[in-house]
Amino acid sequence: MTNDLIVSPTALLFAVALVAIALIINFHEKIGLEKEMLVGVVRAVIQLTVVGYVLTYIIKVDRAPLTFLMMAIIIFNAALNARKRANGIPHAFAISLLAITVATGVTIVLLVLAHAVKFTPSQIVPISGMIASNAMVAIGLCYRNMNTSFHDQRQAVLERLALGATLKQASIGIVREAIRTGMSPTIDSAKTVGLVSLPGMMSGLIFAGVDPTKAIMYQIMVTFMLLAATSLGSVIACYLAYPRYYNEDLQLR
Amino acid sequence: MAVFDLRDVGLTVGDRPILHDISFTVEPGAYLTIVGPSGAGKSTVLRLLATLLTPTAGTITYLDRPQSSFDKIAYRREVSYCFQQPSLFGETVRDNLAFPFELRSRPFDAAKALAALSDVDLPAEMLDKPITELSGGEKQRVALIRNLLFPPKVLLLDEVTTGLDHDTKAIVHQLIEAGNRNGMTVIAVTHDEGEIAVAHDLLALRDGTLDKEAIRRDK
């Protein structure tokens, strides 16, 4: 690998000009996102700096428990974030945690068993992050879609219940639609990968001097891995969440 | 043995009382009509009987057993509630008539569905008609036969004839009365003057409770 990939602090400082462009547009168009944007910029700098040092340490000591701990932190944060989209679904944190853990765990175990990645922190931690964040977005979309559907289709759900439907029979249409919504960004990006975007992982490898054909092999693996992870995560989250819309008397809350 | 026996039934949502002190019985094979001004709690009574709501006071007994002791799903297939301005499922009339079969994990019986359509004077071609092309009266009739494909013991009707023209009303009445003659208990909420005039058993609600003055009983 080449080592000319160093962004100097001065270069980063100049990159702040890019943030300024965004801020100016925001002010000029009265979009009102300046506070959000600044919080985002500051958080990105702090979080990434901390993670940079943490990753350096974890990769240097290369111990399995530390790698697992890092995965746990990533999954925990992803679940916290997914819950924010749940908007009052009871036990949304526990559901998200389980869904993201299974999605990440199953995918990584398969990748390691297939020798596609090695169980070493420099590979496992970034891949966990990629999977967990995609699962998080998918699950968040599922929750939002389910909330809207249970609200908009309230009477239809009631009518199904009144005809003697089980909770699953009354909700299955909504559940399927929510899973579809959760998976659609991953499927869309799988369809357009290479045509529209050169995804982060592949770009990173090419930046680092890896032969693009090899980088592409990795990207294909990542695409498949994200398809598996988002479907697992969406299915688990939706199937665990829909009964929460009903009370113990099988009535809509 | 009464089909329903309600004792001092009440429903409070949050701190808002919706119904209070409702007591009445319904005998097997009865045709009970419930009337009252809007907001009196008529639909709420039907929803309590259908277990779509649970009373916060009093008891409801169904066939001499507490309503709460029944398996909800089996109960709702026996005590079938037909909504006012129902929403139809899926894309075609067939999707709606197939639903009761799906619920019971049975294959769709097209002959039975066609017979049910003809009972409410709807043609066989109706089966594959998109639900978006149905008139209000057609929708209401499709919803009603959705409740009746597997005849329930009790049929709860929530103003199902509201907005129907005279002929369609007559068809719907005929179907319900035929079921009633075969032993099906019917409890119908209505605003319709004609229906109120011919009702045998009449309960009136006002402000969330029974209006004792306006109760009429044949038996």
Side-chain angles (χ1 to χ4, degrees):
Chain A
M1 292 211 194
T2 49
N3 250 346
D4 53 359
L5 270 178
I6 292 161
V7 181
S8 70
T10 355
L12 263 187
L13 215 60
F14 277 113
V16 169
L18 299 173
V19 177
I21 292 177
L23 275 176
I24 289 166
I25 291 175
N26 192 63
F27 271 121
H28 192 257
E29 298 295 323
K30 298 189 175 64
I31 294 166
L33 280 177
E34 55 278 359
K35 205 180 139 201
E36 292 270 302
M37 214 182 272
L38 284 175
V39 170
V41 168
V42 172
R43 276 187 66 161
V45 171
I46 296 174
Q47 283 163 202
L48 289 177
T49 309
V50 172
V51 166
Y53 282 105
V54 170
L55 277 182
T56 310
Y57 175 73
I58 290 177
I59 289 168
K60 200 172 79 190
V61 298
D62 192 6
R63 291 270 160 77
L66 263 184
T67 309
F68 280 122
L69 178 68
M70 193 64 199
M71 282 173 74
I73 293 172
I74 288 172
I75 291 170
F76 182 86
N77 281 323
L80 266 187
N81 226 304
R83 182 185 59 177
K84 283 187 197 151
R85 300 262 173 267
N87 231 335
I89 302 172
H91 309 296
F93 175 70
I95 293 171
S96 316
L97 190 64
L98 181 68
I100 299 174
T101 306
V102 174
T104 313
V106 168
T107 321
I108 287 200
V109 165
L110 285 177
L111 290 175
V112 171
L113 286 181
H115 298 287
V117 296
K118 286 201 198 79
F119 194 86
T120 163
S122 63
Q123 296 193 12
I124 293 297
V125 174
I127 293 229
S128 302
M130 239 188 285
I131 298 172
S133 79
N134 276 273
M136 170 188 87
V137 171
I139 292 169
L141 284 172
C142 288
Y143 287 155
R144 203 150 50 160
N145 188 273
M146 267 212 261
N147 273 329
T148 315
S149 301
F150 270 106
H151 180 266
D152 294 350
Q153 297 173 35
R154 188 176 174 83
Q155 180 166 342
V157 174
L158 280 175
E159 290 192 36
R160 289 191 176 91
L161 290 176
L163 288 167
T166 60
L167 297 191
K168 191 177 172 189
Q169 288 166 332
S171 327
I172 191 69
I174 289 177
V175 168
R176 286 193 186 127
E177 182 59 37
I179 295 173
R180 230 174 273 144
T181 307
M183 290 199 61
S184 60
T186 312
I187 294 174
D188 283 348
S189 73
K191 281 191 211 151
T192 56
V193 71
L195 296 177
V196 179
S197 74
L198 297 179
M201 173 131 191
M202 182 172 143
S203 312
L205 290 172
I206 296 172
F207 256 54
V210 172
D211 180 352
T213 53
K214 286 200 177 121
I216 277 163
M217 300 287 275
Y218 248 95
Q219 191 53 49
I220 291 173
M221 181 194 81
V222 167
T223 305
F224 292 174
M225 155 187 114
L226 293 182
L227 276 174
T230 51
S231 31
L232 269 174
S234 306
V235 166
I236 294 170
C238 287
Y239 273 86
L240 291 177
Y242 83 78
R244 313 282 157 202
Y245 288 87
Y246 301 90
N247 66 16
E248 63 279 13
D249 286 337
L250 312 190
Q251 298 159 349
L252 255 185
R253 283 183 197 277
Chain B
M1 182 169 67
V3 175
F4 282 113
D5 187 4
L6 283 76
R7 298 264 168 93
D8 306 320
V9 168
L11 178 74
T12 304
V13 178
D15 48 8
R16 205 161 59 97
I18 310 283
L19 288 178
H20 62 94
D21 302 312
I22 306 265
S23 300
F24 64 87
T25 57
V26 181
E27 298 302 323
Y31 195 129
L32 176 68
T33 305
I34 302 180
V35 297
S38 7
K42 305 182 297 296
S43 296
T44 311
V45 169
L46 289 191
R47 287 181 186 215
L48 287 171
L49 296 178
T51 71
L52 293 176
L53 290 170
T54 305
T56 48
T59 53
I60 299 179
T61 310
Y62 172 66
L63 301 175
D64 288 351
R65 265 174 60 194
Q67 190 193 41
S68 56
S69 71
F70 285 88
D71 170 67
K72 294 280 179 299
I73 290 157
Y75 178 97
R76 288 168 186 166
R77 290 176 191 178
E78 260 182 56
V79 179
S80 197
Y81 176 29
C82 189
F83 283 66
Q84 180 184 12
Q85 291 173 337
S87 58
L88 297 185
F89 312 145
E91 276 154 26
T92 62
V93 170
R94 183 189 293 268
D95 293 334
N96 287 274
L97 301 188
F99 191 67
F101 291 94
E102 281 165 33
L103 292 187
R104 293 163 177 85
S105 310
R106 301 221 194 144
F108 178 58
D109 181 346
K112 195 174 176 180
L114 290 174
L117 282 173
S118 110
D119 282 346
V120 288
D121 206 24
L122 291 175
E125 304 86 75
M126 187 62 82
L127 196 57
D128 289 307
K129 203 166 179 186
I131 54 172
T132 47
E133 290 174 18
L134 266 55
S135 71
E138 289 167 339
K139 272 188 190 163
Q140 190 72 59
R141 281 182 278 172
V142 168
L144 186 62
I145 54 179
R146 203 167 61 181
N147 289 73
L148 292 173
L149 272 171
F150 293 87
K153 285 188 181 158
V154 182
L155 181 63
L156 307 171
L157 301 169
D158 199 348
E159 302 196 31
V160 294
T161 55
T162 303
L164 300 189
D165 61 59
H166 185 268
D167 292 346
T168 314
K169 254 184 213 174
I171 294 163
V172 168
H173 286 152
Q174 240 171 35
L175 180 70
I176 297 166
E177 278 154 21
N180 185 236
R181 276 195 300 277
N182 288 329
M184 182 173 72
T185 305
V186 178
I187 304 177
V189 161
T190 187
H191 269 135
D192 186 277
E193 294 297 335
E195 289 174 11
I196 296 170
V198 299
H200 297 290
D201 291 344
L202 196 81
L203 277 187
L205 287 178
R206 180 176 292 277
D207 300 329
T209 196
L210 292 176
D211 182 353
K212 300 245 164 42
E213 317 259 300
I215 290 174
R216 183 164 84 215
R217 288 256 169 164
D218 267 8
K219 286 171 196 160

